[in-house]
Amino acid sequence: MKTSTKIASVMVAATAVVAASVPVAGATPITPDRTAVLQRDADAMLEYGTPGVLAEVDTPHGDLRVRSGFGNVEAGTPVPWDAKFRIGSFTKTYVATTVLQLVGEGRLSLDDKVDKVLPGVVRGNGNDGRRITVRQLLQHTSGLPDYLAGLPDLFTEEGFQRIRYQTITPERAIELAMGFPPEFAPGTQWNYSNTNYMLAGMIIEKVTGHSWQSEVQRRIIKPLHLTNTYTPGTRTTIPNPHAVGYERFPGEGATPDDPKYGEPIDATNLNPSWGGAAGEMISTASDGNRFLRALLGGHLLRPAQLAEMKRTVPTNDGFRGNWPGARYGLGLMYVPNECGGAWSHGGDIMGFKTRNGATGDGSRSVVITFNTDSFKPDPGVQPPATDVSIPLINHALCG
């Protein structure tokens, strides 16, 4: 499907055509000035290359949704107000919460070595589960290589089309990771690796006797009545309503600064098993906000475990380039701002980008979904210096 030409031709008019805001039913109205600021933030994201955007803000003074651009470029329709979308690595926060619940129940310790729970699983090329703790997995200080390095086909158009419906088991993912040497000795540095959370999902299953998906459902999704949140496993579709997820792939001569993206394709349907406990889940903005507010409000973890989750370490230069001052806890990231900082965990997966933030007490939160994770700015537009979502998140939390 060729859509980039149409995207370019309609983005100038997108704000006028489909930009809109609406209070959430039953909520106390938010002031028009505040609504206008958030709407401008949503509109401004279009020039950076997303077909569409939807954001929901939950505050003590009312809830608000804003959207702009297109959920379906061909049809010229907006992102549905109640759109379901792939949340990518936001999955990690649900998984970390489940692990920490097990810690609070005395069934696991953050200082347990991975090899104690999964004997012999992390071994090879210098990787050694006898030297890595559960805490270091959740904190991304294990030094384990990312198994995605062993799936290069995911990141080319031809390769993606070839394997998009294949199943990648957790065992296969860890096998791929063990094909590479560690990035550093455990506990000595920080680097984001999806391998850590694939292992966390395996640990949940070993400790409980149930899949991580069923434990997340039982411990988080059902008690919070997150009726539009899913752990799809190998299911390839997204329940309706949803936007089309567009994906661009790097072209010849691509660099980190200029990926030379080609034409976008429809990447909505795929087998998310390769994401697993590191990134397979589907949700909505409303459900994401309810989860964040419950978590930070102390309704899912005991005080000791919530304190551990919020005990952060420095990230690396690449991460701080997108989120200045970012520090990482256990499945939760802290980013400074003018009103006490945002607690968040975004996610990127083919066709969708999720961003979010919440105050430390969970009283205010915001979830944003874009229907692409491969942004291509309009001609003449410089990419933002930091993550594209930061202005809206800060205005939502600090307004």
Side-chain angles (χ1 to χ4, degrees), residues 368-386:
I368 309 169
T369 175
F370 305 92
N371 58 332
T372 187
D373 78 328
S374 47
F375 279 49
K376 184 177 182 179
D378 289 347
V381 174
Q382 285 293 112
T386 57

Side-chain angles (χ1 to χ4, degrees), residues 208-287:
T208 66
H210 306 119
S211 69
W212 72 265
Q213 292 99 329
S214 63
E215 288 296 310
V216 166
Q217 288 278 349
R218 182 175 72 86
R219 293 169 175 271
I220 300 172
I221 293 174
K222 290 180 180 178
L224 294 182
H225 305 290
L226 305 180
T227 56
N228 293 306
T229 299
Y230 308 87
T231 52
T234 59
R235 189 167 68 244
T236 61
T237 57
I238 302 175
N240 288 320
H242 61 79
V244 174
Y246 296 98
E247 186 70 15
R248 304 175 180 95
F249 291 89
E252 186 176 348
T255 67
D257 292 332
D258 182 6
K260 300 188 183 302
Y261 283 134
E263 300 283 327
I265 67 167
D266 182 344
T268 309
N269 294 338
L270 54 82
N271 182 333
S273 60
W274 61 266
E280 88 171 33
M281 289 176 63
I282 293 168
S283 192
T284 63
S286 292
D287 276 10

Side-chain angles (χ1 to χ4, degrees), residues 65-318:
R65 298 186 186 109
V66 296
R67 66 182 176 182
S68 195
F70 295 98
N72 185 318
V73 174
E74 294 288 334
T77 54
V79 179
W81 287 118
D82 53 349
K84 301 174 180 70
F85 50 89
R86 301 190 189 278
I87 67 173
S89 287
F90 188 22
T91 300
K92 292 180 173 70
T93 311
Y94 294 78
V95 171
T97 300
T98 301
V99 171
L100 286 165
Q101 286 188 358
L102 294 173
V103 171
E105 294 162 9
R107 303 172 69 180
L108 186 68
S109 168
L110 288 173
D111 295 321
D112 283 343
K113 296 295 194 291
V114 172
D115 207 66
K116 176 182 177 182
V117 190
L118 301 173
V121 172
V122 178
R123 205 69 58 83
N125 274 325
N127 300 292
D128 190 346
R130 296 169 296 186
R131 302 175 58 209
I132 298 168
T133 65
V134 173
R135 182 193 306 275
Q136 289 165 344
L137 293 182
L138 300 184
Q139 195 179 61
H140 291 300
T141 56
S142 70
L144 289 172
D146 198 321
Y147 65 84
L148 291 181
L151 291 170
D153 280 352
L154 278 174
F155 307 103
T156 68
E157 182 174 347
E158 180 182 359
F160 174 74
Q161 296 286 31
R162 183 168 57 250
I163 71 168
R164 66 189 293 175
Y165 298 117
Q166 289 184 12
T167 294
I168 304 294
T169 65
E171 293 76 16
R172 176 56 178 157
I174 301 308
E175 181 184 7
L176 289 170
M178 295 303 100
F180 301 91
E183 297 179 344
F184 49 82
T188 62
Q189 298 181 50
W190 185 94
N191 197 49
Y192 194 91
S193 174
N194 290 288
T195 303
N196 294 317
Y197 276 78
M198 196 65 89
L199 286 165
M202 296 171 71
I203 287 171
I204 292 170
E205 181 168 359
K206 189 64 177 286
V207 171
T208 66
H210 306 119
S211 69
W212 72 265
Q213 292 99 329
S214 63
E215 288 296 310
V216 166
Q217 288 278 349
R218 182 175 72 86
R219 293 169 175 271
I220 300 172
I221 293 174
K222 290 180 180 178
L224 294 182
H225 305 290
L226 305 180
T227 56
N228 293 306
T229 299
Y230 308 87
T231 52
T234 59
R235 189 167 68 244
T236 61
T237 57
I238 302 175
N240 288 320
H242 61 79
V244 174
Y246 296 98
E247 186 70 15
R248 304 175 180 95
F249 291 89
E252 186 176 348
T255 67
D257 292 332
D258 182 6
K260 300 188 183 302
Y261 283 134
E263 300 283 327
I265 67 167
D266 182 344
T268 309
N269 294 338
L270 54 82
N271 182 333
S273 60
W274 61 266
E280 88 171 33
M281 289 176 63
I282 293 168
S283 192
T284 63
S286 292
D287 276 10
N289 276 320
R290 185 177 301 176
F291 168 61
L292 283 172
R293 295 184 71 180
L295 175 63
L296 290 160
H299 302 296
L300 290 173
L301 293 175
R302 298 176 184 181
Q305 279 70 58
L306 183 56
E308 289 286 0
M309 181 177 248
K310 296 171 74 173
R311 196 169 128 199
T312 61
V313 297
T315 56
N316 57 25
D317 289 343

Side-chain angles (χ1 to χ4, degrees), residues 34-56:
R34 182 171 179 75
T35 300
V37 167
L38 297 175
Q39 185 64 65
R40 283 197 300 269
D41 289 339
D43 296 343
M45 295 174 182
L46 300 183
E47 68 177 7
Y48 295 125
T50 181
V53 57
L54 168 72
E56 180 175 321

